[in-house]
Amino acid sequence: MTREEIDLYEIIQAYPNFPKQGILFRDINPVFRSNDAMNFVCSEIYRRFKNIKIDCIAGIESRGFVLSSFVAMKLGKGMIMIRKAGKLPGETIGKSYNIEYGNAIMEIQKNSIERGQNVLIADDLIATGGTAMAAAYLIEELGGIVAGFAFVVELADLNGATILRNKGYKVHSLVVYN
Amino acid sequence: MTREEIDLYEIIQAYPNFPKQGILFRDINPVFRSNDAMNFVCSEIYRRFKNIKIDCIAGIESRGFVLSSFVAMKLGKGMIMIRKAGKLPGETIGKSYNIEYGNAIMEIQKNSIERGQNVLIADDLIATGGTAMAAAYLIEELGGIVAGFAFVVELADLNGATILRNKGYKVHSLVVYN
């Protein structure tokens, strides 16, 4: 398969009513499973951010760990985990964000970012953007600079990517569904 | 930093009493954060498995997603997610394994492996080996061949790696603690 033949829309699968009734789940596992597809994804992310200084890649638990690690290896950078509360040892800071019923908390280790470092945040998918905004808050709270956001899938009608762009962040999604 | 200077024992941090009293937590986040360290980790894993046919890398949720993705990019392979129950859409198979109080279930998508594919299982750490054995079961149940196991950290006194080796699996750990 050559790079030109990679059509992410064709590779990503849709599962109606998963994980529950009324949700159309976009499954990017078939992308992760294909090295050709991941090379394409990483090359596209590199291309879109090549004029931006990036010191490290932050991945949001847990599918974001896959994308961020592939991108980190491709770009020759390290990878930082942004995790659900209680998973990271040592000194951490947390940020709560809204989920469907109530709140959840994302955490980062205080020593994971040096002041002034440029951090690209990577996640498989952006919907309402709650975790993405929590991730940006955590990085900035530690003195890091959010170099941008890279997503494989953007669910445009849930507006998360638009909110991030309106806040002035550079956001690139490889596949957009309305 | 040159490859020879990478000392994983020095980079990995130990946190007493995390996540609870009596546990000494080995934190490999500092390894993930360093591209030099991850290049060293991936090169070592490549070196130890270079005579074994590998078609894809399976990662165990969720720190295993990081290692498996770095290794997959380094080796030019795809990455397969082995997840906690209920997270994967479509047809899946599951395998329960013992945790401290009771059982948990790991799942894999049925379409993630083709019969006869050689799968390297990667995880950050092996302790008692419960999740590693569940992962091997799932891959073999789908007709895959377990090419081996790659861990960054082995907790030797918890015997998981020994049990896997006694079952005939090829197991490599880069760092061993007693």
Side-chain angles (χ1 to χ4, degrees), chain A residues 93-132:
Chain A
I93 58 169
K95 173 70 177 168
S96 72
Y97 61 99
N98 294 324
I99 51 174
E100 199 175 6
Y101 301 106
N103 291 286
I105 294 175
M106 301 301 292
E107 289 182 347
I108 193 169
Q109 289 179 311
K110 276 191 181 177
N111 63 1
S112 63
I113 292 173
E114 288 163 38
R115 192 159 285 279
Q117 272 197 314
N118 298 280
V119 184
L120 176 67
I121 299 172
D123 205 358
D124 64 319
L125 181 143
I126 180 149
T128 61
T131 52

Side-chain angles (χ1 to χ4, degrees), chain A residues 125-142:
Chain A
L125 181 143
I126 180 149
T128 61
T131 52
M133 277 178 280
Y137 174 91
L138 292 171
I139 287 161
E140 291 167 353
E141 192 70 10
L142 293 179

Side-chain angles (χ1 to χ4, degrees), chain B residues 3-22:
Chain B
R3 179 172 155 176
E4 289 71 41
E5 291 175 78
I6 302 286
D7 180 352
L8 293 176
Y9 288 92
E10 203 170 283
I11 299 173
I12 293 167
Q13 300 296 302
Y15 291 92
N17 303 316
F18 184 88
K20 60 182 188 183
Q21 200 64 27

